[in-house]
Amino acid sequence: MSKSSIVIAGAGQAGFQAAASLREKGHDGSIVLVGDEPSLPYQHPPLSKSYLLGKLDHAALQFRPESFFRENRIEHRAGLKIETIDREAHQAVLQNGEAIPYDHLILALGARNRPLPVPGAGLKGVFQLRTVEDADALRESLDRGRQVVVIGGGFIGLEFATIAAERGAEVTVIETADRPMARVLSKEMSSYFRTVHEAHGIRFIFGATAARLSGNSKVEVVETLDGQQFPADLVLVCIGVIPNTEIASQAGLATGNGIIVNEYLVTSDPTISAIGDCALHPNPYAASGIIRLESVQGAVDQARCVADRLTGHPAPYCSLPWFWSEQGTLRLQIAGLTQPHDHTVVRKSPPGEKEGMSVYCFRANRLVGVESANRPLDHALARKLLSGKGETPGPEQVATADFELKAWVKD
Amino acid sequence: MPSVTYVNSNGSRKTVSVAAGKSIMAAAVENNIDGIVGQCGGNAICGTCHVYVDPSQLSLLEPARDDEAATLEIVAAERRPNSRLGCQIEVKPELDGLVVEMPEYQL
């Protein structure tokens, strides 16, 4: 087996998985996993869900204990960041000047939160959520927060909003679009979530943009561009992310809204791959042909694809994207890439089953994805159906009274 | 503490003590047991902590909820009557001596 040296830049879900999969698939050379956080690699999705609720402790977030890294000869370099890539010398150079030689470099650099570009964004009581330290600070503050304003009505914002509302806070969500999760959800599903969240006391302000945060020693008021004012003692800003592409572009690699890779997830340098949130990759399920995904599924499957290639089994990346979000009483699951779509069919839970619904999204009469709220079986079957090669139902078929998704799924 | 035995698809066994309240998946991860992934962190979503429970012990477990039953539809390896998701089995004193077998692959 290969004795080559592999360096992985970034120790999030994608970076960790790449290291673990390389060993599992028989890579015998060195693996150096460089991550800028001080702790062992850990899961991020629970930070806005069970961890924030106090149901998980820090240790339970870790992918694997320390012994895993030792036993698998994965050299985890914590609290360090690769500053530059010397492509000629094949070295990844850390901020302290240390150069780590590589035969292959995997960029799993992730993304960072988009900062709120308004006055007062740095006030005390204003939070972002990305790391476990962010979650700890937010959790502590949430115990005291009575008037919570969430800026941005996407997955993270709404996951947090439902938790804050459950804790008895008065919650306002300010969103520039005219509906929640507009970038990723159909109008029908978006509207369903809005109705349920409003019934739990969450107030939405749509078509509004935060213009100024003010307060004396800490945040007290959020003001929008159109002059509305919302009192707040806790503000969470979650207005999307920026992929970490800088070290790649400085090294002359092709970048756009992400580090550009081919169908094998190789960058414009054949000795460098990119995976996870930072990778702008060809995806057979994307309408535009290429996409950058922010998901556990993308991170894990892309890591495995690269590990397969580096251990002698190259295959193009072609995994079906899927997503999930936990928002109070609702579990949202999406199978496939539903955007853009031009037609939908809504199927609600029949009487006697837990309340929920699935939205079947079509593009040019072809089923491209299914969004489900509290319909886990629809989601599972849709994943099976859409990742297979078999025929999929058209809109008329899904709309018939006796439609059964299961009948379309071949084992 | 209750003990749980994990049997790898190649037949190797490892028995560990697990604090009550912890899941079969979380205990496997903490004890470095190969063959369980737990990609979604224990939410019955990904199906990568699939285990085969010793058939004689199946009746000791609570039946699968609808989300677990749904995800068992998409596990990578063969689904059998004794298939369960490790993240949904919470260890308790009555389960002392539980034996679970891992499938050959999870992804």
Side-chain angles (χ1 to χ4, degrees):
Chain A
M1 263 297 170
S2 161
K3 279 284 185 192
S4 62
S5 305
I6 298 177
V7 173
I8 303 167
Q13 185 112 32
F16 165 77
Q17 187 66 48
S21 293
L22 279 164
R23 270 301 173 246
E24 187 195 323
K25 293 171 192 294
H27 173 73
D28 203 27
S30 67
I31 299 174
V32 182
L33 178 63
V34 183
D36 57 0
E37 295 195 54
S39 48
L40 284 172
Y42 62 91
Q43 310 167 59
H44 283 69
L47 297 182
S48 52
K49 308 179 181 79
S50 50
Y51 184 78
L52 205 53
L53 283 164
K55 289 184 186 165
L56 280 187
D57 62 11
H58 198 156
L61 285 179
Q62 289 166 1
F63 292 115
R64 296 284 161 180
E66 216 249 310
S67 58
F68 173 85
F69 295 85
R70 208 171 44 241
E71 285 167 20
N72 285 284
R73 292 180 294 120
I74 295 167
E75 190 188 337
H76 176 227
R77 304 285 310 269
L80 292 168
K81 205 168 179 173
I82 290 171
E83 287 273 278
T84 51
I85 305 167
D86 184 339
R87 288 170 55 194
E88 256 172 44
H90 280 220
Q91 288 179 335
V93 185
L94 302 177
Q95 76 265 49
N96 62 10
E98 181 188 343
I100 308 176
Y102 66 81
D103 293 308
H104 197 90
L105 175 64
I106 301 173
L107 300 176
L109 299 164
R112 60 185 180 275
N113 293 339
R114 188 177 290 283
L116 183 68
V118 306
L123 279 169
K124 224 178 140 204
V126 181
F127 295 87
Q128 291 242 13
L129 182 51
R130 173 149 296 269
T131 65
V132 68
E133 288 79 17
D134 293 339
D136 287 339
L138 191 56
R139 192 154 92 175
E140 197 196 300
S141 188
L142 186 56
D143 292 335
R144 292 187 305 269
R146 294 293 89 196
Q147 289 181 306
V148 170
V149 172
V150 177
I151 302 177
F155 280 15
I156 309 280
L158 294 179
E159 287 175 2
F160 175 73
T162 54
I163 289 173
E166 272 168 38
R167 295 282 197 89
E170 191 181 290
V171 182
T172 304
V173 177
I174 298 175
E175 166 59 45
T176 53
D178 61 355
R179 57 192 180 90
M181 301 174 279
R183 193 172 61 92
V184 291
L185 285 194
S186 66
K187 284 190 171 132
E188 292 84 354
M189 189 56 90
S190 199
S191 157
Y192 183 72
F193 271 74
R194 174 184 179 168
T195 307
V196 173
H197 290 335
E198 284 178 340
H200 286 96
I202 294 172
R203 173 168 62 156
F204 285 101
I205 308 294
F206 293 113
T209 303
R212 202 163 74 97
L213 278 55
S214 54
N216 288 317
S217 62
K218 63 190 292 293
V219 69
E220 287 164 22
V221 178
V222 177
E223 193 179 325
T224 57
L225 270 183
D226 56 2
Q228 299 179 77
Q229 293 199 337
F230 302 95
D233 50 23
L234 192 169
V235 174
L236 180 68
V237 176
C238 24
I239 52 172
V241 301
I242 302 169
N244 293 325
T245 59
E246 288 77 5
I247 66 165
S249 54
Q250 279 154 17
L253 300 177
T255 59
N257 175 32
I259 302 167
I260 297 172
V261 293
N262 67 13
E263 68 269 39
Y264 292 92
L265 309 176
V266 182
T267 67
S268 50
D269 178 332
T271 64
I272 306 177
S273 303
I275 57 174
D277 289 13
C278 71
L280 184 59
H281 64 280
N283 191 306
Y285 297 94
S288 62
I290 62 164
I291 199 162
R292 192 177 62 74
L293 295 171
E294 294 152 20
S295 73
V296 166
Q297 174 278 322
V300 170
D301 288 342
Q302 289 167 27
R304 287 165 46 82
C305 175
V306 168
D308 276 332
R309 168 163 49 79
L310 295 176
T311 51
H313 302 93
Y317 180 71
C318 59
S319 303
L320 178 81
W322 54 266
F323 311 86
W324 90 92
S325 175
E326 307 278 351
Q327 298 178 21
T329 56
L330 297 176
R331 168 174 287 181
L332 171 67
Q333 291 173 284
I334 306 173
L337 291 174
T338 54
Q339 302 291 358
H341 56 262
D342 50 37
H343 188 79
T344 55
V345 177
V346 176
R347 296 197 63 97
K348 295 201 163 134
S349 293
E353 285 184 28
K354 186 174 180 182
E355 203 184 310
M357 71 176 202
S358 289
V359 179
Y360 292 71
C361 299
F362 296 87
R363 186 157 64 232
N365 276 323
R366 200 170 60 83
L367 182 67
V368 290
V370 178
E371 305 164 342
S372 303
N374 293 350
R375 300 281 301 159
L377 186 57
D378 288 354
H379 173 74
L381 294 171
R383 261 164 69 180
K384 224 171 175 176
L385 176 67
L386 292 166
S387 51
K389 300 240 182 299
E391 200 192 341
T392 56
E396 300 77 23
Q397 286 155 319
V398 175
T400 56
D402 59 354
F403 172 73
E404 285 224 31
L405 184 52
K406 192 158 183 137
W408 290 83
V409 179
K410 312 275 179 291
D411 272 315
Chain B
M1 279 196 283
S3 76
V4 176
T5 299
Y6 294 85
V7 185
N8 213 304
S9 60
N10 63 19
S12 70
R13 300 165 78 90
K14 191 168 172 181
T15 301
V16 298
S17 298
V18 181
K22 207 171 267 300
S23 77
I24 293 286
M25 182 278 287
V29 167
E30 274 174 32
N31 288 286
N32 252 344
I33 285 164
D34 289 338
I36 288 197
V37 179
Q39 184 182 328
C40 75
N43 292 290
I45 289 173
C46 67
T48 63
C49 62
H50 179 200
V51 294
Y52 301 119
V53 174
D54 188 305
S56 70
Q57 297 174 311
L58 205 54
S59 62
L60 298 174
L61 306 181
E62 307 274 334
R65 286 200 324 238
D66 62 346
D67 51 350
E68 179 184 354
T71 301
L72 283 168
E73 290 276 339
I74 45 171
V75 290
E78 183 198 359
R79 181 184 181 177
R80 299 179 192 157
N82 58 336
S83 284
R84 293 296 300 261
L85 296 182
C87 69
Q88 300 301 303
I89 304 174
E90 198 176 282
V91 174
K92 40 189 184 185
E94 307 90 276
L95 294 182
D96 184 32
L98 187 70
V99 179
V100 297
E101 192 187 326
M102 276 88 73
E104 205 181 328
Y105 46 88
Q106 293 283 9
L107 282 157

